[in-house]
Amino acid sequence: IRRPPRSTPLYSSAASDVYKRQYQNSILMLLILLEGRKAGFLQDARITMEIQIYPSSNMNSDLIDAEVVDDQPELISIVEELSKSDIYAIDTEFHREKTYFAKLALIQLRWSNRLVIIDPLNLDLSVLSKVFLSNSIAVFHAGSQDLEILHRAAGTVPRSIFDTQIAAGFLGMRTPSLSSLHENLLGVKLTKGDRLTDWFQRPLKESQLQYAASDVRYLLELHQVLTERLIKLKRYEWAEAEFVTFLEKRQKVIDPKDAWQRIKEAKHLNKQARGVAQALAEWRELAAQKNDIPNRYIMSDLALVGIAQRKPTKLSDLKNIRGFDYAQYQKEKGQHLLKIVEKLGEDQEQYVEVVNSEEAKQKLIENTQELMERGGFGSPTFFVNGDDMYFGNDRIQLLENIL
């Protein structure tokens, strides 16, 4: 590793709308995919736009030395050069085990014949916005958390992305790891790093820097291989549409009112209990953000669901809630928690209403033909609970079982 010199709104309406959108969007996409497959539309799909394949570089990636940048003038110089590049690879290293917001420790960049590791601890990262808002394509691997962290650090995210994990999914691979893509597509075996390494120790060890560099060293080669295969299978437009959706979703700040949706058990509660879970999850999320600690430090999911089910009315009731830290909730703090539960008991109209699935499904079926006549079969990605992605035969089988 080469270092430069130092000089150089309402619970019911909001939740109901979410349920309707998730259900309608998923079923509609599945209906469209089935009809398109039966009608032969998918097999006859053609790439109607010119797709640019960017060579990763003119030299062997193994020979590129990684540079460590830890001063502002050098970072500005990097930004000026990088903003003129057509494409670059990017990754981050961070910790969030003890905080609500991830703490950024490193940013790795690879473009042309350069590989740079940015030490951001004493830098103003807002200058990266010039790169992100340019026409350059940012190549990530499973970039969900990277986008969240970069948005918080630089105030914006790349306007155009390519995610190698999503792209590989359209080639029939099940959410592949970075190492498996390297081995299967490039014949490169990445060195395993220490998952528990401290990215905030300074100076960083040579092994840490080498591991960080490896995350982006071959990403542009992966982009090239994946792009060529997607074009050959006439699936590039599908992947590109998914990149846009993925990017839009990751730019949205999580509304505390929607925090309950990330609690799996909460989705199986009855209407009234779900309303309590919503209120508790919102309160927990706001408290976690304010104190910058993981929401599990405020209250575990298990305890939250238990309270929603039992609806305790006095402090002693909380002792019998599984997973509840009673010692943390006594006196004023415990009373405040009980008031949240009590308030939801009074506001019946704020309870979540579950969408009528059969009615929504029938309406979508009635509108499917019109959409098919427009040729709008779109990108065939299917999301379950907004997180798990199914591709290829897995998606077809899932679709046919549901319908």
Side-chain angles (χ1 to χ4, degrees):
I1 301 297
R2 178 162 54 88
R3 291 179 180 271
R6 270 282 180 181
S7 59
T8 48
L10 291 179
Y11 296 115
S12 61
S13 60
S16 181
D17 287 345
V18 169
Y19 267 123
K20 290 176 183 176
R21 287 197 302 271
Q22 287 184 345
Y23 180 83
Q24 291 173 346
N25 290 342
S26 296
I27 296 299
L28 180 59
M29 187 59 67
L30 296 176
L31 284 168
I32 289 171
L33 180 60
L34 258 190
E35 292 303 315
R37 187 178 62 144
K38 292 176 181 177
F41 293 151
L42 299 186
Q43 287 83 350
D44 294 335
R46 293 290 183 268
I47 300 296
T48 59
M49 56 177 286
E50 181 178 351
I51 302 168
Q52 180 68 46
I53 300 178
Y54 300 99
S56 56
S57 70
N58 294 321
M59 69 181 295
N60 193 325
S61 293
D62 293 327
L63 303 180
I64 299 177
D65 289 331
E67 312 163 44
V68 176
V69 172
D70 57 6
D71 68 273
Q72 196 69 25
E74 184 68 14
L75 175 60
I76 293 173
S77 176
I78 293 294
V79 166
E80 291 299 321
E81 181 179 341
L82 191 54
S83 61
K84 299 173 185 177
S85 177
D86 292 322
I87 190 169
Y88 61 94
I90 184 168
D91 187 46
T92 65
E93 304 297 343
F94 57 89
H95 291 321
R96 73 182 320 160
E97 291 84 2
K98 298 180 180 180
T99 60
Y100 181 88
F101 300 104
K103 303 302 180 185
L104 180 61
L106 292 176
I107 301 175
Q108 303 98 285
L109 296 165
R110 161 75 202 282
W111 74 101
S112 185
N113 295 327
R114 295 191 68 180
L115 196 163
V116 170
I117 298 174
I118 298 174
D119 181 348
L121 300 189
N122 298 308
L123 300 179
D124 175 10
L125 298 178
S126 64
V127 297
L128 289 172
S129 62
K130 182 173 183 178
V131 177
F132 294 164
L133 296 177
S134 70
N135 293 322
S136 300
I137 298 175
V139 181
F140 292 87
H141 177 80
S144 177
Q145 293 191 83
D146 298 309
L147 288 168
E148 174 195 338
I149 294 164
L150 291 171
H151 188 278
R152 185 170 175 80
T156 188
V157 294
R159 65 191 299 182
S160 180
I161 70 166
F162 183 103
D163 192 292
T164 57
Q165 187 175 78
I166 294 176
F170 282 97
L171 297 175
M173 306 178 196
R174 292 188 178 184
T175 56
S177 66
L178 184 62
S179 60
S180 67
L181 284 182
H182 277 73
E183 290 188 36
N184 295 331
L185 300 183
L186 302 178
V188 173
K189 190 166 184 177
L190 296 180
T191 302
K192 291 185 179 180
D194 182 2
R195 295 181 61 186
L196 300 178
T197 193
D198 180 7
W199 289 111
F200 282 95
Q201 75 171 42
R202 296 294 185 271
L204 289 166
K205 295 182 292 186
E206 184 70 14
S207 59
Q208 290 177 300
L209 293 171
Q210 293 288 357
Y211 176 78
S214 70
D215 283 345
V216 294
R217 185 176 294 279
Y218 303 99
L219 265 188
L220 296 182
E221 282 90 335
L222 282 178
H223 165 269
Q224 184 171 338
V225 172
L226 290 167
T227 297
E228 290 172 348
R229 294 194 180 189
L230 287 168
I231 293 173
K232 184 177 181 180
L233 294 174
K234 303 178 179 64
R235 297 177 185 176
Y236 186 87
E237 283 185 328
W238 296 355
E240 188 174 53
E242 197 54 59
F243 299 151
V244 174
T245 301
F246 181 78
L247 184 57
E248 290 175 350
K249 183 177 179 182
R250 294 314 182 275
Q251 290 185 77
K252 295 179 180 178
V253 178
I254 297 175
D255 188 336
K257 288 185 173 65
D258 297 331
W260 70 279
Q261 296 178 50
R262 291 178 292 168
I263 304 174
K264 293 182 179 180
E265 295 81 2
K267 298 176 183 179
H268 304 293
L269 296 172
N270 61 40
K271 183 171 66 174
Q272 292 189 354
R274 192 181 299 120
V276 176
Q278 278 186 260
L280 288 175
E282 179 185 357
W283 163 77
R284 182 181 69 167
E285 203 73 9
L286 290 170
Q289 291 176 359
K290 180 179 179 180
N291 296 284
D292 194 18
I293 58 176
N295 57 25
R296 67 180 183 276
Y297 285 16
I298 305 294
M299 183 185 297
S300 69
D301 286 355
L302 183 62
L304 191 152
V305 172
I307 291 174
Q309 289 175 322
R310 298 195 179 192
K311 304 178 189 64
T313 59
K314 52 185 184 293
L315 288 176
S316 58
D317 294 340
L318 295 173
K319 290 183 178 181
N320 299 319
I321 302 295
R322 185 180 174 189
F324 184 77
D325 184 3
Y326 182 72
Q328 186 183 167
Y329 288 89
Q330 297 188 36
K331 298 181 180 180
E332 293 86 357
K333 196 173 181 180
Q335 291 295 342
H336 178 68
L337 184 59
L338 294 174
K339 285 180 180 179
I340 296 176
V341 179
E342 181 183 5
K343 186 177 185 299
L344 265 293
E346 296 171 352
D347 295 337
Q348 294 290 333
E349 72 278 4
Q350 290 193 357
Y351 291 139
V352 176
E353 295 180 5
V354 180
V355 64
N356 185 321
S357 298
E358 288 303 318
E359 180 182 344
K361 178 179 174 180
Q362 185 58 40
K363 188 173 182 179
L364 289 169
I365 291 174
E366 292 172 357
N367 293 332
T368 299
Q369 188 58 43
E370 178 185 353
L371 290 168
M372 289 304 303
E373 290 173 357
R374 296 180 188 175
F377 50 84
S379 165
T381 307
F382 175 47
F383 285 90
V384 178
N385 292 333
D387 294 317
D388 300 324
M389 291 184 288
Y390 291 81
F391 299 96
N393 292 331
D394 289 337
R395 182 177 56 258
I396 297 294
Q397 293 173 9
L398 182 63
L399 182 154
E400 292 174 336
N401 288 336
I402 289 177
L403 300 182

